[in-house]
Amino acid sequence: MTGVHLVGSGIPTLLPTHGVGTRTDLPVPTPLTLAAAGGAVLISFLVLTLFWRRPRTRKDAGPALPAAVDALVGSVVLRTALRAVTLGVLVGVVVLGFAGPTDTNRNLGPWLIYVWLWVGLVPASVLLGPVWAVLNPLRLAHAVVARLLRLDPADGVRPLPAEVGRWPAAVFLAGYLWVELVLPTRADPPVLAGLIAGYCLVQIGLGCVFGSSWFAGGDVFEAYSRVIGSMAPIGRRDGRLALRNPLDGLDDLDAGPGLVALLVVLIGGTAFDGLSRTSFWQSAGATGPLDGTVGLALAILLIAVIFLLGTASTVATTARDTRRHPPAAFAHALVPIAVGYAVAHYFSLLVFDGQQVAILASDPLDHGSDWFGTATHVIDYTLVGTNTIAVVQVLAIVVGHLVATVAAHDRATRLYPDRAAVRTQYPMLATMVALTIGAVALIGAP
Amino acid sequence: MISSRARTTALRGCLGLLLAAGVLVGCGTAPTATPAAPSPAGATAAAERVIKVSQAHGAITGDTGRVQVARGSTVTLEVTSDVADQVHVHGYDKEENIPAGGTATVRFVADIPGVFETELHGSDKQLLQLEVS
């Protein structure tokens, strides 16, 4: 083979890190970064303690968007059309998986799912809000199936118990992460297509039973997009779209059952992804599926313990607002951390391997066609430099933890009297510093 | 209720804090600009780099683990195997068949920075991680 191009040999490629990918980032130089990151969180805490003694988040700030924008976003026709497009792409991915190119490097599916959908959903949701609630193809498929079965699409056959919340999404997310990070055949097009088809059937079935409200907390991608979208600069106020401070949006996130679990699984999964690509992990020979399963479970458990310790001193009995019991009362603070980790770990994947989707889309069947004139393109690795990647990685982690610290502090001032509020945040500070240093250490590890 | 002016000031202060932290961290990261000194694994930062690795009885020996090379150097990867196999350098997407008991040589200019897995397709074993910086 000649030249730097991505045409494979016909043999599916087994990759040691995430679903698919051609490269991983260089280690970020650590000691200075660790000091700066830990210091930034510590200093922010001191400043917050001195100058942020009353809750400052609110629900009524920010200008409303023009009514035309509201009408467009709320349009049932547009929504159905968009979902028809995503449903078409979804069906296409499954068909390509079973009947298309068997080589991962020639098959659009794995790149579209692991890079564009999973990673791309983060910037899309952070900037625009819960986009997947609008684009979710499962909602359209469910509506059609429910009608065919003569079931009520909205109510299903039985009500969804309130205590279920986002628990199903948390469980399905753990399953998704296991596939993405552990399953050896994750990038095999037929395997991935089978998993996607199975997942969709289960989701549509559950949607038929519980009605369309199932998807908000039951479908991984919609729940993920909704939770991350809570910190978008656009949100709903009294039913109308309005610009807002991301901190106000975060504060408005409803902390129902399963929110902590969903976020802890998400952060633990990203942390394990970082760990599994280090030479420390690989030189330990821990590359088998069993090692991966144990590693992923331990990473999630570790994040859970760190977070629960951070909220341990926040006792519900002293809280003014008994409706929000810790640790769920502080779960929203995990959102910016999860977003920061996702950006730090997958920014370069999206920028580089995201190009693969545009390249393969021109010739999805590998028949030599060139629909968009991109079939002969190769991934441009000069799009962003290694220094830019390192700066983005560190900034994402540090800013994520700073926003988290502010969000948790603001919530504490809302829930507890002045001095008690500060006291409850000491363990949270330890949690934030530990998570920051751990995250920076992971992107700095060789 | 806090006046909107006080609130704006506070949020502006918060933003300033974030920016300051960003600058702080940015400074901390600045030294990345100079490529890290090659570790013992990549002792020769010269323009030519030979990496030798072999597979025998299912075990990988030689220049395994993280191998650092300076960006722009010419890498010659020599892979020996007791069974027929195929070597693949990710990212650079170089593939070469290895005959049983023979050696395959892959030669390329390491001009894409990053960490790249290099593996055997037949035995699905990782040979090394090429770190180009």
Side-chain angles (χ1 to χ4, degrees), chain A residues 387-421:
Chain A
N387 290 328
T388 311
I389 295 172
V391 170
V392 167
Q393 287 187 294
V394 176
L395 275 183
I397 289 173
V398 174
V399 172
H401 285 90
L402 285 179
V403 175
T405 306
V406 174
H409 181 89
D410 186 77
R411 179 61 55 83
T413 59
R414 198 180 291 284
L415 295 182
Y416 303 98
D418 200 6
R419 289 185 183 284

Side-chain angles (χ1 to χ4, degrees), chain B residues 2 8 12 19 31 49 64-65 71 75 82 87 101 103 106 108 111 114 129 131-132:
Chain B
I2 298 137
T8 312
R12 209 170 274 162
L19 283 177
R49 187 66 205 281
T64 59
R71 189 178 174 184
V75 172
D82 56 353
V87 57
T103 302
V106 183
F108 58 94
D111 51 3
Q129 295 171 295
E131 181 177 325
V132 183

